[in-house]
């Protein structure tokens, strides 16, 4: 009988915290560096899009890599390459001067980082069921804790990022980002957990056939297919607000710390929502929680579109995070309980890649629209379809499967 211990679970949570903090700093630093050139939202949109465009293919490949190479090994490789990609910013500036850090360079490095990150995220997520079992935790509790830690990382990351930019500057801030990925790498290096090592590849198909197998599994599972649709649409509408519109608004006002606080408010709400998910799951079913989140997100974004004073924006962002915090644990639970162990990485990868597919489209539209029509009109162009999405989701019958038990 396997000894009960929380060490593997807490190690995974620490690695997620460190890597997430690095990404949180980048979330502020990359757009800020791009906007420093001429203040154009289009430049910030290009960099943000470069940081999301590779995610579709990268997440598909990440899921297959996890199933083929092993969860622990892939997490370590991902952290190593992510650290190198962000450290390249100050290295290039040191070698060729700060003027070399232009929009093209930032876009290329953001794309590299985006290509490496999904593998680490997927690897850590797929280790949660075994880690939860070792800890004696329910899967809902482990997923809630994981997402709470991930949101905590985005409290630490953007907040620290805004402060570091105001003191060290955007370029040197990237050293801190690299150090965060190194901490995650070191944590995973000492992890010992069943199912985290190199899998038996004797009966696995070739890489492309493996990806197709994961895609077919998601398509043939109604609840996964419906979740993919909702997440893809919500991501495409929400991502430009965080990656382009808020950075544009606060850059125009020369308020980097305020941008950090807005992102912190989103993460604080998400942290509380994820922490409260285990208790909430006993009071409300998963479908109700998800529908409430999408509808409240649409309403909150609509109010934000009128650009009220900062305290009101902070409260609304906290509400957005609070209602949306439980959604990721629900997604994780469904993926982990519907997919067999040998397909788990590919199913997580497929679902993640589909969610990222709409991101570049939203960013391509949001940047030029913000420059041409203004932030108010662009916020409305994103928030009103979010309200429609919430109404449509009510009538999706597959979402009723969210409250069914695990499939053996």
């Amino acid at each position: 009988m396997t000894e009960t211990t929380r060490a593997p679970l807490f190690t995974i949570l620490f690695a997620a915290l460190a890597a997430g903090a690095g990404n949180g700093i980048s979330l502020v630093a990359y757009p800020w560096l791009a906007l420093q050139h001429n203040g154009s939202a289009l430049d910030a949109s290009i960099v943000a899009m470069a940081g999301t465009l590779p995610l579709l293919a990268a997440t598909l490949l990440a899921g297959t890599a996890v199933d083929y190479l092993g969860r622990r090994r892939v997490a370590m490789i991902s952290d190593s390459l992510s650290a190198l990609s962000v450290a390249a910013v100050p290295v290039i500036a040191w070698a060729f001067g700060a003027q070399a850090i232009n929009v093209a360079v930032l876009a290329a490095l953001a794309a590299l980082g985006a290509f490496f990150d999904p593998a680490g995220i997927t690897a850590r997520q797929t280790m949660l069921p075994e880690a939860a079992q070792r800890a004696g935790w329910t899967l809902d509790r482990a997923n809630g804790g994981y997402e709470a830690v991930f949101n905590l990382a985005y409290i630490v990351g953007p907040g620290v990022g805004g402060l570091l930019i105001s003191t060290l500057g955007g370029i040197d801030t990237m050293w801190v980002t690299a150090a965060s990925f190194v901490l995650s790498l070191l944590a995973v290096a000492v992890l010992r957990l069943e199912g985290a090592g190199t899998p038996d590849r004797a009966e696995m198909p070739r890489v492309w056939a493996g990806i197709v197998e994961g895609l077919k599994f998601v398509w043939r599972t109604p609840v996964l297919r419906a979740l993919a649709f909702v997440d893809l649409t919500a991501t495409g509408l929400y991502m430009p607000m965080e990656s382009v519109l808020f950075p544009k608004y606060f850059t125009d006002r020369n308020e980097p710390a305020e941008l950090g606080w807005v992102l912190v408010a989103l993460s604080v709400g998400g942290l509380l929502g994820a922490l409260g998910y285990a208790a909430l799951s006993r009071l409300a079913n998963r479908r109700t929680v998800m529908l409430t989140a999408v509808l409240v997100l649409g309403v909150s974004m609509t109010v934000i579109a009128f650009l009220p004073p900062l305290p009101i924006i902070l409260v609304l962002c906290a509400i957005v995070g609070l209602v949306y915090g439980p959604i990721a644990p629900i997604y994780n639970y469904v993926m982990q309980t519907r997919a067999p162990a040998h397909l788990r990485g590919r199913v997580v990868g497929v679902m993640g890649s589909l969610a990222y597919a709409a991101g570049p489209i939203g960013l391509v539209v949001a940047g030029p629209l913000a420059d041409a029509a203004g932030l108010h009109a662009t916020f409305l162009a994103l928030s009103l379809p979010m309200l429609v999405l919430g109404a449509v989701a009510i009538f999706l019958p597959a979402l009723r499967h969210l409250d069914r038990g695990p499939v053996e």
Side-chain angles (χ1 to χ4, degrees):
M1 182 176 180
T2 305
E3 179 185 358
T4 300
T5 174
R6 297 177 183 177
L9 179 60
F10 286 173
T11 300
I12 294 171
L13 296 181
F14 176 80
L17 175 64
N23 284 322
I25 297 172
S26 298
L27 191 66
V28 177
Y30 273 123
W32 191 267
L33 287 170
L35 287 163
Q36 276 189 323
H37 284 274
N38 55 23
S40 170
L42 178 59
D43 286 351
S45 183
I46 290 172
V47 174
M49 184 178 64
T52 57
L53 194 60
L55 294 175
L56 174 59
T59 311
L60 274 177
L61 294 173
T64 304
V66 167
D67 286 340
Y68 276 71
L69 301 178
R71 299 161 187 170
R72 180 171 167 270
R73 179 184 297 175
V74 168
M76 294 174 65
I77 293 173
S78 171
D79 288 333
S80 300
L81 297 177
S82 294
L84 291 174
S85 70
V86 294
V89 173
V91 169
I92 291 173
W94 173 78
F96 302 102
Q99 68 278 3
I101 306 300
N102 53 35
V103 173
V105 171
L106 290 171
L109 293 177
L112 283 175
F115 193 81
F116 302 140
D117 285 340
I121 294 172
T122 302
R124 288 187 289 270
Q125 286 180 338
T126 55
M127 289 189 282
L128 281 176
E130 288 78 11
Q133 186 177 18
R134 286 287 303 277
W137 287 22
T138 65
L139 196 49
D140 274 332
R141 184 182 180 188
N143 281 319
Y146 178 86
E147 294 302 330
V149 164
F150 207 73
N151 279 283
L152 178 61
Y154 279 86
I155 295 172
V156 174
V160 170
L163 294 174
L164 288 174
I165 290 172
S166 63
T167 54
L168 300 178
I171 292 175
D172 286 337
T173 294
M174 288 304 193
W175 286 121
V176 180
T177 309
S180 298
F181 287 116
V182 171
L183 286 176
S184 177
L185 167 65
L186 295 175
V188 175
V190 301
L191 176 65
R192 296 296 179 268
L193 182 68
E194 296 81 0
T198 304
D200 181 7
R201 296 189 291 269
E203 299 180 0
M204 289 188 180
R206 294 182 180 273
V207 173
W208 176 245
I211 294 175
V212 171
E213 187 179 2
L215 285 166
K216 287 181 177 179
F217 184 88
V218 169
W219 181 253
R220 293 171 180 171
T221 307
V223 65
L224 292 177
R225 189 169 65 240
L227 282 178
F229 162 74
V230 173
D231 198 24
L232 184 149
T233 307
T235 300
L237 296 172
Y238 172 79
M239 187 177 293
M241 182 182 76
E242 186 173 304
S243 300
V244 174
L245 301 188
F246 277 141
K248 168 64 175 173
Y249 178 64
F250 288 106
T251 300
D252 288 346
R253 298 162 64 95
N254 193 30
E255 296 175 342
E258 283 76 1
L259 172 59
W261 286 119
V262 165
L263 299 178
V264 165
L266 288 166
S267 296
V268 167
L271 171 64
L272 297 176
L275 282 174
Y277 171 66
L280 185 63
S281 63
R282 304 189 189 101
L283 303 175
N285 60 47
R286 297 184 183 94
R287 177 174 176 269
T288 300
V289 172
M290 192 187 73
L291 294 178
T292 300
V294 179
L295 289 169
V296 173
L297 180 59
V299 172
S300 300
M301 287 176 62
T302 302
V303 178
I304 291 173
F306 293 93
L307 300 175
L310 180 62
I312 296 177
I313 292 178
L314 292 176
V315 170
L316 290 170
C317 288
I319 292 173
V320 167
L322 181 66
V323 298
Y324 217 69
I327 298 306
I330 292 174
Y331 275 48
N332 291 344
Y333 175 86
V334 175
M335 290 185 291
Q336 292 159 354
T337 57
R338 292 302 187 274
H342 73 281
L343 271 175
R344 193 185 301 159
R346 277 164 284 177
V347 169
V348 172
V350 166
M351 293 293 286
S353 65
L354 292 175
Y356 288 132
I361 298 175
L363 292 168
V364 166
V365 172
L369 184 60
D371 284 336
L375 290 173
H376 171 64
T378 307
F379 267 115
L380 284 176
L382 299 174
S383 62
L384 296 181
M386 187 72 77
L387 290 172
V388 175
L389 174 65
V392 170
I394 294 173
F395 299 99
L396 294 177
L399 294 184
R400 300 185 185 277
H401 297 185
L402 289 173
D403 297 295
R404 296 185 178 180
V407 176
E408 296 295 335

